[in-house]
């Protein structure tokens, strides 16, 4: 596969930006990226919103320990690598599970270091690059879709900060009527301690196209590192009749506070299959919103989380039925170890006139420790009267008869528990297609590693 | 020389209530024993206590197997020593395939407890090829469709399928002493024949079997040399194969009367 090395600015060994967020820092970031005036204006607007907005009222999630003033607001540029072997081992392992692929993008902190794209896709008009390059090369597309509809900058204080300081991220545009079987893979490696990263994922899929995108967030494990921040925004535009599969997996270090807003907009008769995995971070709070805005849309929404130690993982989902005749089927599953805590808040909303809605929501939690705690808060906002809607939440412990059954076959207790937990997660993992078999195996391995402690 | 499995004066309590009240039993490899008893007499309690279920508390007595009293030995270690229990009510394990489960169990049984469950076996357990070959053979023996291997353990299995699954595990794990707890219940006559033939096929000088039942029916197929009758937590009568027939004819009241006199 031919590779394209990303164009690098000619800044040699740039000095680290000053700590803390400010208007000057934002201007410096924009200038270093050679951004056009409209993007600088976007950033200014984001900064104004950030200053005006109050932090959201989260009753259960606490990020007070994060010292915003100590954070480095954006990364100095990094050199591209031509040899994937030169990447950190954990990153290298992550990449090894992807066999043939449509395109690969690797970023270190927020700077792209490697990318490739299959030639025939390029010829067919597929656009695949890091987000900063997209701003320079495809300004009209970015202006149309970047924080306009799916996740507007003023959604909350943190999306506003993202609008002001976003850097790096993934841009994939698929024109109409293209069926792409192999997955696109984007991996972001968050490396520098105390550096805040704000990657932006923008996926625009034209009518009747089919595509798979996997987005992984990784960093070294680090308990002792000073806290840092990951403030991502993901926007998925699924065109009429398009079929999109999106997987995002977060396995960041324990020094990372991870706040992510993710929204998909589904046009008529489109199909979205979306798995969101949360394994890492000190505190992680992510949203996964699916807006069904044209009739006939289908959203299969899956969440998998596995906190341990003192991790806190909070998630909110929205199945937003704006149009009638749509289906949303949500399954969120988590297992909790140590003193960890999860908070799941799930809303099903059916707007007036969203008749013939089918909406299902299920949240299942497995407590693997007496000190872990899982909260589940479902919410229904139903303004249509002709619909089918179910929701249910469970919190359970490992079944001791199952453990005994497996042990009676010679399987030691820790392996018995591991098998049961892997089995518990199977309904989520089964939603991955054969083309992502390697990822499925690695997630299974990650679950096993967590259980070994 | 003591027997391969030797149970001495076993007292077992469940939730503080004594169910087994001093039970003695010796089983050698190569032998088939049957324990018959009415419902609630403590047959499953004996089976679970032998395997080490934590809810079944041994308050007195000993279980000798492989040169040690295994009363304090955890269930997985008992299994690795060569003890096997075909459950009356096997658990289902959603999301875990029969193949994955059996391979993990075989690797454990063969002294390779660390082997992975996702197709890899670090430390070199049974190879995937070897495993599949063996699984195919044993499934054929029990007339099970190979597609079963990909189903989740006991999930949605019929009563008869669960019992076959138990005997399949016995076939794969090659125990030295196997306890079959009401393996005949829930089986129609054809399935009973297939399962019994499977057990007979597995019989060898290296395997001792304890068949637990409350009907004589299965003993037409799996022929015990020794029959014991369990009533209210004690073995009240032991004898040869004829005892089962006599019991069938006269009923448990006869045993109770004989014992009382
Ligand atoms: N897990 C258990 N919890 C509570 N009681 C039990 C349990 N297992 C057995 N018992 C009690 O012990 C007695 C014997 O039961 P069991 O050993 O299952 O008899 P059998 O298998 O001969 O029908 C019964 O009174 C039963 O209620
Ligand atoms: Mg019983």
């Amino acid at each position: 596969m031919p590779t394209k090395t990303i164009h690098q600015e000619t800044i040699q060994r740039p000095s680290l930006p000053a700590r803390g967020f400010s208007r000057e820092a934002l201007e410096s970031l924009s200038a270093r990226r050679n951004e056009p005036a409209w993007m600088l204006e976007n950033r200014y607007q984001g900064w104004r919103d950030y200053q005006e907005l109050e932090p959201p009222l989260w009753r259960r999630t606490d990020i007070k320990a994060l010292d915003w003033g100590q954070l480095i607001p954006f990364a100095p540029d990094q050199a591209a690598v031509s040899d994937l072997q030169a990447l950190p081992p954990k990153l290298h392992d992550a990449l090894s599970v992807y066999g043939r692929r449509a395109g690969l993008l690797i970023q270190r902190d927020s700077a792209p270091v490697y990318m490739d794209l299959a030639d025939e896709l390029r010829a067919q008009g597929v656009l695949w690059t890091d987000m900063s390059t997209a701003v320079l090369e495809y300004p009209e597309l970015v202006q149309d879709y970047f924080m306009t509809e799916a996740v507007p900058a003023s959604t909350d204080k943190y999306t506003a900060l993202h609008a002001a300081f976003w850097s790096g991220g993934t841009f994939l545009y698929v024109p109409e009527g293209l069926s792409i079987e192999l997955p696109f893979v984007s991996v972001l490696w968050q490396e520098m301690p105390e550096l805040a990263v704000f990657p932006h994922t923008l996926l625009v899929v034209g009518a009747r196209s089919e595509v798979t995108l996997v987005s992984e967030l990784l960093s070294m494990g680090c308990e002792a590192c000073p806290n840092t921040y990951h403030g991502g925004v993901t926007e998925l535009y699924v065109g009429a009749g398009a079929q999109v599969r999106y997987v995002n997996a977060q396995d960041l270090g324990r020094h990372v506070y991870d706040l992510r807003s993710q929204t998909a907009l589904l046009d008529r008769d489109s199909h979205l299959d979306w798995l969101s995995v949360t394994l890492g971070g000190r505190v992680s709070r992510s949203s996964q919103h699916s807006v069904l805005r044209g009739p006939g849309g289908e959203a299969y929404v899956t969440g998998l989380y596995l906190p341990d130690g003192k991790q806190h993982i909070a998630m909110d989902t929205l199945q937003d039925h704006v149009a009638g005749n749509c289906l949303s089927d949500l399954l969120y599953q988590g297992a909790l170890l140590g003193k960890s805590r999860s908070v799941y808040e799930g809303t099903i909303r059916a707007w007036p006139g969203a008749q013939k809605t089918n909406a299902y929501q299920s949240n299942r939690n497995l407590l693997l420790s007496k000190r872990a705690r899982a909260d589940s808060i479902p919410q229904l906002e139903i303004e249509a009267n002709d619909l089918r809607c179910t929701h249910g939440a469970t919190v359970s412990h490992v079944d001791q008869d199952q453990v005994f059954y497996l042990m009676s076959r010679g399987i030691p207790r820790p392996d018995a528990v591991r098998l049961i937990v892997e089995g518990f997660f199977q309904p989520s993992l089964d939603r991955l297609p054969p083309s992502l078999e390697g990822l499925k195996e690695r997630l299974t391995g990650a679950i096993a590693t967590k259980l070994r402690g | 020389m003591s027997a391969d499995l030797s149970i001495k004066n076993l007292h077992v309590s469940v939730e503080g209530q004594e169910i087994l009240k001093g039970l003695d039993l010796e089983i050698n490899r190569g032998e088939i024993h049957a324990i018959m008893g009415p419902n609630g007499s403590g047959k499953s309690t004996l089976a679970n206590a032998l395997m080490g279920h934590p809810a079944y508390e041994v308050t007195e007595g000993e279980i000798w197997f492989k040169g040690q009293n295994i009363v304090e030995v955890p269930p997985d270690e008992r299994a690795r020593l060569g003890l096997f229990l075909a459950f009356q009510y096997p658990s289902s394990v959603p999301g875990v395939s029969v193949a994955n489960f059996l391979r993990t169990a075989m690797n454990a049984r063969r002294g390779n407890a660390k082997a992975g469950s996702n197709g890899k076996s670090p430390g070199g357990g049974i190879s995937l090829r070897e495993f599949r070959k063996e699984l195919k053979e044993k499934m054929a023996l029990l007339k099970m469709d190979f597609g079963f291997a990909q189903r989740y353990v006991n999930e949605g299995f019929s009563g008869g399928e669960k019992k076959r699954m138990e005997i399949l595990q016995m076939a794969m794990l090659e125990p030295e002493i196997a306890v079959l707890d009401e393996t005949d219940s829930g089986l129609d006559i054809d399935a009973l024949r297939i399962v019994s033939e499977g057990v007979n096929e597995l019989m060898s000088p290296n395997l001792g079997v304890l068949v637990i039942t409350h009907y004589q029916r299965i003993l037409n197929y799996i022929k015990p040399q020794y029959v014991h009758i369990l009533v209210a937590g004690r073995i009240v009568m032991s004898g040869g194969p004829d005892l089962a027939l006599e019991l069938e004819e006269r009923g448990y009241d006869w045993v109770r009367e004989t014992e009382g006199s």
Side-chain angles (χ1 to χ4, degrees), chain B residues 14-15 19 38-45 56 88:
Chain B
V14 184
E15 289 172 357
I19 308 294
N39 272 331
S41 58
K43 302 185 299 296
S44 292
T45 300
Y56 296 78
Q88 180 174 7

Side-chain angles (χ1 to χ4, degrees), chain A residues 261-283:
Chain A
S261 290
Q262 314 181 103
T263 296
L265 301 184
L266 287 86
D267 289 344
R268 104 183 346 258
D269 298 321
S270 64
H271 178 105
L272 173 66
D273 200 327
W274 182 2
L275 169 64
S276 182
V277 179
T278 311
L279 300 174
R282 168 72 190 82
V283 173

Side-chain angles (χ1 to χ4, degrees), chain A residues 13 63 79 109 119 128 177 186 200 203 217 230 247 250 257 329 365 377:
Chain A
R13 293 265 127 224
I63 59 166
D109 291 327
D119 279 337
W128 167 245
S186 171
H200 193 95
L203 171 65
L217 306 173
H230 181 105
V247 178
Q250 185 267 72
Y257 282 66
D329 183 348
N365 298 282
I377 306 137

